[in-house]
């Protein structure tokens, strides 16, 4: 499958977005980010998009037409598939009706462990440590009607280090596991298509 156009939905710093941008620049993936939509006006992911001349938009998801705006922008930028790269809003039925099967999410745990309501950010890594899990990791999965429950595409594990603090674990999982796993998932989709 040749390079696809990726629409990114993000809410935060955008390091996963940056991993996609860098992978394209290093020719590790053929697909390119054609637009970035963010529900936080001052989120750094929008700055990252701007630096790389990628069309980027703040979407006020409190407005009732936000779903229609998201769909219109994805169509305008010819989005083939959507990546939730740290997007903290549940995807509506309206958007899923168009992109189900063409929308993936990256989550910083070995789903189904530590997924769903309340499991985002530091809370995930605190739960891993509280459970004294020996390993953790990240998951890339298709998005479905619930949160963090779609068909798993890839997972990658890492050992929890003795005495590791939650914030250090969060950063390590983000850098060492999530970023390469997301690129691996895009490469898999480029090879095998979206299923
Ligand atoms: C990542 O841990 C991602 O898995 C989670 O939110 C975080 C976003 O990080 N959903 P960033 O905005 O990509 O740096």
């Amino acid at each position: 499958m040749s390079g696809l156009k990726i629409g990114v939905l993000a809410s935060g710093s955008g390091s996963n977005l940056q991993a996609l941008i860098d992978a394209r620049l290093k020719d590790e993936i053929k697909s390119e980010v054609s637009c970035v939509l963010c529900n936080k006006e001052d989120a750094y992911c929008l700055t990252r998009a701007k630096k790389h001349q990628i069309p980027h938009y703040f979407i006020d998801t409190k407005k009732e037409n936000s779903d229609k705006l998201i769909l219109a922008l994805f169509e305008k930028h010819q989005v083939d598939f959507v990546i939730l790269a740290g997007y903290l809003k549940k995807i509506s039925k309206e958007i899923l009706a168009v992109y189900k099967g063409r929308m993936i999410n990256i989550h910083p745990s070995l789903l189904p462990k530590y997924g769903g309501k309340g499991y985002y950010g530091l809370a995930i890594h605190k739960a891993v440590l509280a459970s004294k899990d020996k390993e953790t990791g990240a998951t890339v999965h298709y998005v479905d009607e619930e949160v963090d429950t779609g068909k798993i595409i890839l997972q990658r594990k890492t050992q929890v280090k003795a005495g590791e603090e939650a914030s250090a674990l969060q950063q390590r999982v983000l850098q060492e596991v999530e970023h390469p796993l997301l690129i691996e998932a895009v490469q898999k989709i480029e090879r095998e298509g979206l299923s």
Side-chain angles (χ1 to χ4, degrees), residues 10-17 45 48 84-88 105-108 120-121 124-125 170 174 178-179:
S11 302
S13 70
S15 71
N16 278 290
L17 164 65
C45 60
R48 293 182 195 269
L84 307 187
Y87 188 61
L88 297 180
N105 179 47
I106 178 144
H107 182 82
Y120 61 91
I124 294 169
H125 308 283
Q170 179 180 35
L174 186 58
E178 291 187 61
H179 295 165

Side-chain angles (χ1 to χ4, degrees), residues 37-183:
L37 278 51
C38 178
N39 64 312
K40 300 278 182 202
E41 198 160 18
D42 55 353
Y44 194 64
C45 60
L46 292 171
T47 305
R48 293 182 195 269
K50 187 173 183 177
K51 279 182 182 173
H52 292 275
Q53 295 84 40
I54 297 171
H56 51 285
Y57 307 83
F58 161 59
I59 305 290
D60 184 349
T61 50
K62 292 188 288 300
K63 292 221 171 91
E64 64 183 65
N65 70 335
S66 61
D67 281 345
K68 283 181 179 39
L69 179 56
I70 290 170
L71 289 171
L73 288 168
F74 280 165
E75 190 174 351
K76 172 185 166 77
H77 294 288
Q78 302 168 310
V79 167
D80 296 305
F81 79 107
V82 178
I83 296 181
L84 307 187
Y87 188 61
L88 297 180
K89 301 287 293 178
K90 190 167 184 289
I91 297 300
S92 70
K93 286 187 173 50
E94 190 175 1
I95 292 175
L96 267 181
V98 180
Y99 286 100
K100 187 170 181 182
R102 298 192 288 149
M103 182 180 277
I104 67 175
N105 179 47
I106 178 144
H107 182 82
S109 79
L110 296 173
L111 291 174
K113 292 184 87 172
Y114 313 118
K117 193 166 171 51
Y119 282 116
Y120 61 91
L122 206 56
I124 294 169
H125 308 283
K126 284 182 173 174
V128 166
L129 294 174
S131 306
K132 299 193 182 341
D133 291 359
K134 294 279 177 281
E135 62 183 19
T136 184
T139 303
V140 177
H141 63 92
Y142 283 102
V143 174
D144 67 9
E145 289 70 14
E146 303 308 319
V147 177
D148 302 330
T149 53
K151 186 177 116 183
I152 290 175
I153 300 171
L154 287 174
Q155 290 189 305
R156 186 179 287 211
K157 295 178 179 177
T158 184
Q159 296 303 308
V160 178
K161 292 178 179 169
E164 196 165 22
E165 297 281 321
S167 52
L169 181 59
Q170 179 180 35
Q171 278 312 308
R172 191 165 63 79
V173 168
L174 186 58
Q175 305 290 337
E176 295 177 9
V177 185
E178 291 187 61
H179 295 165
L181 183 66
L182 185 56
I183 301 316

